[in-house]
Amino acid sequence: MAECIDTRYGRGGDEVPELSDSDDDDQWQCMEEENSEDGQVTCPFCDRLLSSVSNTLQHCSAEHTVSLVDVIRKHNLDDYGYIKMINFIRATKCSAVSLAGLSEGAVPWESEDFLRPVLQDDPLLQTDLEELCGSEGTGPFPVPSSGAPSYGVLLQRDQTAEERVQRAEDALARAMDDLHKLKLLAQGLVLSAETGRGPENMGAVAELREDEDEAYFSSYGHYSIHEEMLKDKVRTESYRDFMDFNPEVFKDKVVLDVGCGTGILSMFAARSGAKSVFGVDQSDIIYQAMDIVRSNQLEDRVTLIKGRIEDIKLPVEKVDIIISEWMGYFLLFESMLDSVLYARDLYLADDGSVYPDLCNISLVAAGDAEKHRDRLAFWDNVYGFNMACMKKAVLPEAVVEVVKAETLISEPTVIQTIDCNKVSISELEFASDFCIKITDTTDCTAIVGYFDIFFDKGCSDKVTFSTGPQFMKTHWKQTVFLLENPLPVQAGEELKGRITVRKNRKDPRSLLVTFDLPDWRQTYSVQ
Ligand code: SAH
């Protein structure tokens, strides 16, 4: 059975027949206020209250000399037609004589508008047509086999429509809430600007953090980012191959997919033999994942839960495997690994495994004078003006772009290996000495960062991929740390230094990376 926890609004339900908007709503409102008294039936032709539907029919025949059943038969009315007729009589105060005088088939209540009840809880509308015809004593009436929905179905549709309205109202309330938060945020920012206290204004910062995280998850709500990830063959095929080629790892296992997005990894895991898979995502893309999982008849094995992994409670105590595609630029940008480690520490069984399990962060030197000029020297003369001060803004921002393999001028060097089964969150901020072996005599213009990923633990068929410039490009590209001034280097020379990677306290999802070399020190932000 599907166990998708689906809180999306604006979904589901049968098609509701469209009611025309063109009517005067006030008029309907007034009519609906004319409630019939509990249990009693108001005659459609006069004000008389009758104790039952059959008494009403008899009253109509006796007092108004019209048999409603005859009219139904004459015009071959189905449930719809009957409901419209009753509402028509009530709305237009049509007399019994003119109703009886209508020629066959020529009914004035064709408009869908007459589906709207004139009296609230009108017992005449709640009676089954067949029953109604029987109650006048004329025996069962052959209900037209037009395939039109019964009154019960109509009621159900009405209820569905009401639920939709309710969901829309809830959505509006949430939007209002968001607006309110934005207002508070703006007020906080104005206040901090006015008092000159800056980000120490804790209220504003707290709001900012919350809103930033909302922005993070809402960016994952749009299909395009998932399309880009799915179309990244290096990435997605590596996950696929790891699961397809190592079914012994997944057979009968309980799997948690942290940040399931469209559900692709959850479905790979299910296909590879997992007993059950729990996919968790805070972003709205999970609603698509719910449809996707159902469309692929995997709802028996894949359970999707909307929420932050840190906020939800899994319906199982432990899982055997955690899979996740958490990697950001320069591996750690986004800090999503923190969430995977949180899930590992809370849910992973003692003998369980996190995949991918190993990751390397590497550096390599590049010499691309043209690119360097284009990024920095460009500002020396912009249409004849000196804008060199702009370099101070350009330099400290690492650039995410594809680096041409032919511009590499060193061997790559690994600066950090992360074992996802062992690492702690605090170790995701680190400092590491490095030694880059130069292979070309030229000017070094940048240091390039990238990462490699390994699906290794217990795999008979190990899978790995690299985001390095020497390999097929991925959506992570490379992270380029531009040197302020090109540095002349000799083949065989070693560039020794120290790199420090830490979270930006003002925006914990972004990174600050500092390079320390004998004659050069620079901090870059990866954002
Ligand atoms: N697994 C998918 C999507 C990867 S993108 C795929 O491989 O295609 C990362 C996803 O993780 C995003 O959809 C994001 O919304 C989700 N995510 C990030 N942090 C999360 C957290 N703490 N809790 C739940 N979902 C999270």
Side-chain angles (χ1 to χ4, degrees):
M1 250 314 284
E3 218 193 305
C4 295
I5 301 170
D6 186 341
T7 55
R8 179 157 47 149
Y9 42 84
R11 273 164 53 85
D14 291 328
E15 285 288 298
V16 181
E18 290 232 343
L19 298 179
S20 155
D21 295 340
S22 60
D23 278 330
D24 180 350
D25 275 355
D26 292 345
Q27 182 197 342
W28 285 116
Q29 187 116 23
C30 285
M31 291 197 235
E32 282 184 9
E33 277 162 8
E34 275 179 50
N35 243 336
S36 65
E37 282 185 37
D38 265 357
Q40 294 200 301
V41 190
T42 309
C43 169
F45 302 110
C46 66
D47 290 332
R48 189 76 189 272
L49 289 174
L50 288 310
S51 60
S52 69
V53 170
S54 62
N55 283 351
T56 310
L57 295 190
Q58 278 160 18
H59 160 83
C60 289
S61 297
E63 298 292 324
H64 303 291
T65 59
V66 63
S67 158
L68 288 180
V69 171
D70 283 350
V71 179
I72 292 167
R73 282 181 169 165
K74 179 172 166 187
H75 299 290
N76 200 22
L77 298 184
D78 59 10
D79 298 79
Y80 263 120
Y82 163 70
I83 289 167
K84 290 200 269 189
M85 175 187 79
I86 295 294
N87 289 327
F88 168 79
I89 301 169
R90 293 201 191 282
T92 63
K93 309 259 187 277
C94 156
S95 72
V97 179
S98 47
L99 183 77
L102 289 172
S103 43
E104 209 174 307
V107 294
W109 53 79
E110 291 290 4
S111 162
E112 301 278 272
D113 294 348
F114 292 111
L115 281 171
R116 290 185 81 155
V118 175
L119 295 188
Q120 212 178 340
D121 302 323
D122 188 348
L124 277 183
L125 302 186
Q126 290 166 19
T127 311
D128 186 73
L129 192 55
E130 217 171 324
E131 227 174 81
L132 178 107
C133 294
S135 74
E136 210 198 38
T138 50
F141 178 79
V143 178
S145 57
S146 61
S150 70
Y151 186 68
V153 170
L154 285 175
L155 265 186
Q156 208 177 343
R157 288 179 177 179
D158 184 42
Q159 206 177 338
T160 309
E162 269 177 28
E163 282 167 13
R164 280 186 181 178
V165 170
Q166 185 59 50
R167 285 194 292 260
E169 278 174 2
D170 290 349
L172 184 66
R174 279 196 293 272
M176 296 292 284
D177 192 41
D178 286 350
L179 264 179
H180 178 66
K181 279 188 197 154
L182 270 177
K183 196 173 133 196
L184 283 180
L185 174 66
Q187 280 170 351
L189 289 175
V190 169
L191 191 69
S192 69
E194 279 171 358
T195 57
R197 277 190 289 129
E200 284 75 26
N201 181 336
M202 284 314 291
V205 169
E207 289 288 346
L208 190 69
R209 293 265 155 87
E210 196 178 310
D211 279 10
E212 273 175 355
D213 233 27
E214 271 180 38
Y216 170 73
F217 287 115
S218 73
S219 75
Y220 275 115
H222 196 263
Y223 76 88
S224 57
I225 191 167
H226 294 276
E227 182 176 355
E228 185 188 18
M229 289 189 288
L230 293 169
K231 285 181 175 169
D232 181 338
K233 285 182 150 212
V234 174
R235 178 202 91 112
T236 311
E237 290 185 359
S238 297
Y239 276 86
R240 181 201 63 190
D241 292 351
F242 152 61
M243 291 189 245
D244 276 2
F245 299 159
N246 293 285
E248 73 283 357
V249 173
F250 284 88
K251 190 167 182 316
D252 297 331
K253 294 288 170 37
V254 178
V255 177
L256 168 62
D257 176 1
V258 178
C260 61
T262 53
I264 183 73
L265 306 185
S266 295
M267 294 189 293
F268 284 151
R271 190 167 74 185
S272 182
K275 182 168 67 184
S276 56
V277 185
F278 297 95
V280 180
D281 206 301
Q282 160 72 352
S283 132
D284 284 354
I285 195 69
I286 197 165
Y287 297 124
Q288 303 287 354
M290 289 169 180
D291 285 348
I292 292 168
V293 163
R294 276 191 286 262
S295 304
N296 290 281
Q297 294 87 44
L298 284 170
E299 64 268 36
D300 289 350
R301 277 187 296 147
V302 178
T303 301
L304 298 176
I305 301 167
K306 179 158 192 318
R308 289 173 76 239
I309 188 71
E310 294 86 349
D311 298 339
I312 60 111
K313 191 168 167 358
L314 276 190
V316 289
E317 234 172 68
K318 293 288 167 194
V319 300
D320 303 305
I321 292 174
I322 292 179
I323 49 172
S324 181
E325 197 281 78
W326 50 266
M327 295 84 79
Y329 300 133
F330 201 49
L331 189 70
L332 296 174
F333 173 72
E334 261 186 62
S335 291
M336 194 186 149
L337 181 53
D338 295 23
S339 301
V340 175
L341 300 185
Y342 170 90
R344 179 198 68 187
D345 295 344
L346 192 60
Y347 293 117
L348 193 66
D350 289 343
D351 55 351
S353 307
V354 178
Y355 293 105
D357 48 331
L358 299 176
C359 323
N360 281 344
I361 303 178
S362 295
L363 297 179
V364 62
D368 188 340
E370 194 185 326
K371 181 91 354 98
H372 191 273
R373 271 196 301 276
D374 179 55
R375 300 270 313 151
L376 290 179
F378 164 79
W379 298 103
D380 290 333
N381 181 346
V382 181
Y383 299 97
F385 297 102
N386 180 347
M387 296 194 184
C389 61
M390 294 287 278
K391 292 187 204 173
K392 284 199 169 51
V394 173
L395 190 67
E397 283 190 16
V399 184
V400 174
E401 66 183 0
V402 175
V403 173
K404 291 189 207 122
E406 58 270 25
T407 65
L408 301 184
I409 57 161
S410 80
E411 290 174 11
T413 182
V414 175
I415 54 147
Q416 184 74 336
T417 295
I418 292 174
D419 181 341
C420 298
N421 284 291
K422 296 192 182 133
V423 75
S424 63
I425 290 183
S426 63
E427 289 170 320
L428 301 181
E429 295 185 283
F430 58 88
S432 164
D433 291 330
F434 64 82
C435 173
I436 297 175
K437 292 197 175 95
I438 300 292
T439 52
D440 288 28
T441 301
T442 182
D443 280 351
C444 173
T445 55
I447 294 184
V448 177
Y450 64 91
F451 59 90
D452 306 321
I453 294 295
F454 302 85
F455 299 89
D456 189 278
K457 190 181 167 198
C459 294
S460 56
D461 211 332
K462 300 183 192 306
V463 173
T464 174
F465 73 91
S466 175
T467 65
Q470 319 86 320
F471 298 94
M472 195 197 269
K473 95 168 204 227
T474 70
H475 77 285
W476 288 289
K477 303 175 186 170
Q478 285 86 39
T479 305
V480 178
F481 306 97
L482 216 56
L483 269 58
E484 185 173 4
N485 299 305
L487 179 72
V489 288
Q490 302 270 324
E493 182 183 340
E494 290 181 339
L495 267 188
K496 288 187 179 166
R498 189 171 173 79
I499 181 171
T500 309
V501 177
R502 59 191 200 281
K503 290 170 184 156
N504 184 345
R505 300 280 166 253
K506 290 184 195 154
D507 171 13
R509 289 200 182 271
S510 75
L511 296 176
L512 292 175
V513 178
T514 304
F515 285 89
D516 269 304
L517 279 90
D519 303 321
W520 172 63
R521 181 172 210 268
Q522 179 70 49
T523 295
Y524 298 87
S525 65
V526 181
Q527 57 191 7

